[in-house]
Amino acid sequence: MGYVADRWHKTRPKPDEPECGEHKGLVASKAHGTGKRWQARYDDPTGREVTSLHRTKAEAEAEIVKQESDKQAGSWLDPKAGLVTVEKYALETWLPAQNLIGRSVKEYQGALDRYLIPEWGNRQIRSIKPSEAGAWQQLLTSKYKLSGSTPNRVARYVRGVFRLAVIDRVIAVSPFDGIKAPTLVEAAVHPPDVAEVKELIAAAYKPIWRAMIEVTALTGLRSGELRGLTLDRIDFLRRTIQVDRQMVYEAGKGMFLDNLKTGAGRRLLPVTKRTVDLLAAYVAAHPPAADGERAGLLFTMPDGKPVGESTLDSAFKTTCKKAKLGKRHWHELRHHYASVLIAGGENPKVVQKRLGHKDVMTTLRTYAHLFAEAEEQTRDVLDAAWAEPGETASKEESPQQGGRIPESRRSTGVLRQVSG
């Protein structure tokens, strides 16, 4: 149990010390008449002594009763913890607690430096109000002109800072509680179909670009995962690829192989015979280095260096022009892979696992319209299969009844190729 101390008077005065002229029977201390007189003292849940100053003895006693009660209820907060600035807590406590790899630390800190610290950096973390939290989220679009999924991502980082502060018992409640996060906007993807991918492969002007385009379309690997693929990660017999690393770039460090950021990204990917045959042929024609830091790296430049992201993007842009196709981005080959899985009837959890998404909601947000199309195709197939003879006169037969495909399926580029 805590106790109250009188700062203005000595608890153990010497016999010859004069009595306080203002308070009878007491001996004045050096602090007499300065600051608040009464000091509440109590131990925090770890046994460390905590003190606070009060104007009256009754206020100090009430503070001790409150703190002891909070300890018993498990809701105790260090009164001084909330004095820490938003910047100090975000950069020195929250950021290290995220267990991030190097490049992600820069990404997270960059977001804090650009959008949080200029607004609240010098504020005590306990001083931020819910109304201010809501207004700050609006600034992401109105002041900083962020769009797409970026406002949601930045807000997720900052909301995480205050959520951890609650867990650490720095503040009692997050100012973002009850404040809706910015809507996560996912632009609908319109991936190339199989025919278009084949045109891109044919137009690729170097063997390395042809191979990389086709492998991505057949596996859905991210650019960094593909560029960091090594021979030891491919099991040609079992037809699998172990995806656990990627090629990354950091200023001052150059390109290097690094672990994937999330556990979901690390996956054992089943691949087709076409894929392993393609990889085997490429390895035979372009053997990777047998030793050194680039040992086993499949896709390298003529000088043996890894393929950079910008180099790959530039090569793909040139390939699109040669194929006389519309503007495409490399990541759309990954979307193509997902669209083929969805068109083939794979459920969202399987698609999530194959793509290495962190959660199935990411998959559903990105490909919601493709799943919707697949649902409609399912209805067409069932309608055709169960229709009475007289009802099929004005409809095309299902594949089971005569090999003809419903119009909705034939109008979908991906399905047109898959069904063929």
Side-chain angles (χ1 to χ4, degrees):
M1 187 69 179
Y3 65 95
V4 174
D6 183 353
R7 293 180 56 252
W8 287 6
H9 300 96
K10 295 183 177 181
T11 56
R12 297 179 181 177
K14 296 178 180 179
D16 57 344
E17 288 186 296
E19 185 179 271
C20 176
E22 186 178 347
H23 301 94
K24 188 175 181 179
L26 301 174
V27 175
S29 67
K30 291 182 180 181
H32 189 279
T34 61
K36 296 179 180 178
R37 177 179 176 181
W38 301 98
Q39 184 181 62
R41 294 187 173 186
Y42 55 91
D43 291 339
D44 69 11
T46 68
R48 179 178 61 88
E49 186 177 67
V50 180
T51 64
S52 59
L53 300 179
H54 302 271
R55 185 176 56 84
T56 67
K57 185 177 182 179
E59 289 175 354
E61 290 173 338
E63 176 67 10
I64 291 174
V65 171
K66 177 183 180 302
Q67 298 299 336
E68 293 294 338
S69 175
D70 287 348
K71 285 195 293 182
Q72 291 294 324
S75 58
W76 184 84
L77 292 176
D78 184 346
K80 296 179 181 178
L83 300 177
V84 65
T85 64
V86 172
E87 178 178 7
K88 183 177 179 65
Y89 187 81
L91 298 182
E92 298 181 14
T93 301
W94 178 79
L95 192 59
Q98 301 312 297
N99 192 30
L100 302 171
I101 54 181
R103 64 189 183 282
S104 293
V105 172
K106 291 184 178 180
E107 175 191 329
Y108 280 50
Q109 184 170 344
L112 298 176
D113 288 340
R114 288 190 293 272
Y115 311 118
L116 173 64
I117 293 172
E119 305 296 335
W120 293 343
N122 294 325
R123 294 273 300 275
Q124 293 179 1
I125 195 167
R126 68 179 184 180
S127 72
I128 308 301
K129 301 175 182 177
S131 57
E132 294 177 297
W136 174 83
Q137 289 190 160
Q138 293 298 321
L139 291 179
L140 295 176
T141 53
S142 63
K143 177 179 178 179
Y144 294 104
K145 308 300 181 183
L146 301 183
S147 60
S149 62
T150 308
N152 179 275
R153 176 174 58 83
V154 173
R156 189 169 69 248
Y157 297 161
V158 173
R159 294 167 75 97
V161 171
F162 288 88
R163 185 163 54 249
L164 183 61
V166 173
I167 296 172
D168 278 349
R169 300 188 183 282
V170 172
I171 54 178
V173 63
S174 168
F176 287 95
D177 280 3
I179 304 296
K180 185 179 179 181
T183 301
L184 181 55
V185 179
E186 294 281 5
V189 299
H190 301 285
D193 61 17
V194 175
E196 188 174 343
V197 173
K198 286 182 176 180
E199 290 182 54
L200 289 168
I201 295 169
Y205 55 98
K206 288 184 180 180
I208 186 173
W209 309 139
R210 284 197 294 272
M212 294 182 80
I213 289 172
E214 188 165 356
V215 170
T216 301
L218 291 169
T219 63
L221 291 174
R222 298 177 176 90
S223 170
E225 295 169 346
L226 178 69
R227 291 182 293 109
L229 182 60
T230 52
L231 193 58
D232 62 331
R233 264 43 181 190
I234 306 171
D235 189 327
F236 291 91
L237 181 62
R238 294 181 175 83
R239 291 188 294 175
T240 60
I241 295 177
Q242 181 66 50
V243 186
D244 58 0
R245 298 182 301 181
Q246 60 185 333
M247 187 64 65
V248 298
Y249 171 84
E250 283 188 17
K253 194 173 180 179
M255 284 187 284
F256 60 96
L257 279 173
D258 200 2
N259 293 328
L260 296 180
K261 292 192 294 185
T262 66
R266 295 187 287 274
R267 59 201 187 276
L268 185 64
L269 186 65
V271 296
T272 63
K273 183 178 183 298
R274 180 188 183 97
T275 306
V276 293
D277 287 348
L278 169 65
L279 290 170
Y282 186 82
V283 169
H286 310 277
D291 50 32
E293 62 177 343
R294 310 301 183 199
L297 191 64
L298 262 65
F299 302 111
T300 58
M301 302 303 291
D303 59 2
K305 292 182 179 179
V307 179
E309 185 174 12
S310 60
T311 300
L312 186 61
D313 289 342
S314 177
F316 192 62
K317 182 178 180 181
T318 301
T319 299
C320 288
K321 288 183 178 179
K322 286 181 174 292
K324 297 181 180 179
L325 298 172
K327 187 177 180 181
R328 289 287 191 182
H329 299 283
W330 185 268
H331 201 73
E332 290 181 88
L333 294 173
R334 178 169 159 85
H335 292 326
H336 162 83
Y337 170 78
S339 71
V340 172
L341 295 185
I342 295 168
E346 290 285 22
N347 68 65
K349 285 296 293 183
V350 171
V351 178
Q352 173 207 344
K353 186 176 180 179
R354 299 292 179 257
L355 293 172
H357 284 162
K358 185 177 181 180
D359 57 69
V360 73
M361 290 307 299
T362 300
T363 309
L364 290 171
R365 283 193 301 267
T366 307
Y367 303 111
H369 63 298
L370 298 182
F371 281 112
E373 290 175 8
E375 288 175 0
E376 187 59 38
Q377 291 148 16
T378 298
R379 295 188 187 97
D380 288 344
V381 170
L382 289 171
D383 281 343
W386 284 86
E388 295 297 330
E391 296 177 335
T392 61
S394 61
K395 297 181 181 180
E396 296 188 86
E397 293 176 315
S398 69
Q400 294 90 334
Q401 292 175 315
R404 300 187 69 187
I405 301 171
E407 180 63 30
S408 62
R409 294 187 71 188
R410 291 192 293 109
S411 64
T412 302
V414 171
L415 284 176
R416 182 173 63 250
Q417 298 298 330
V418 171
S419 63

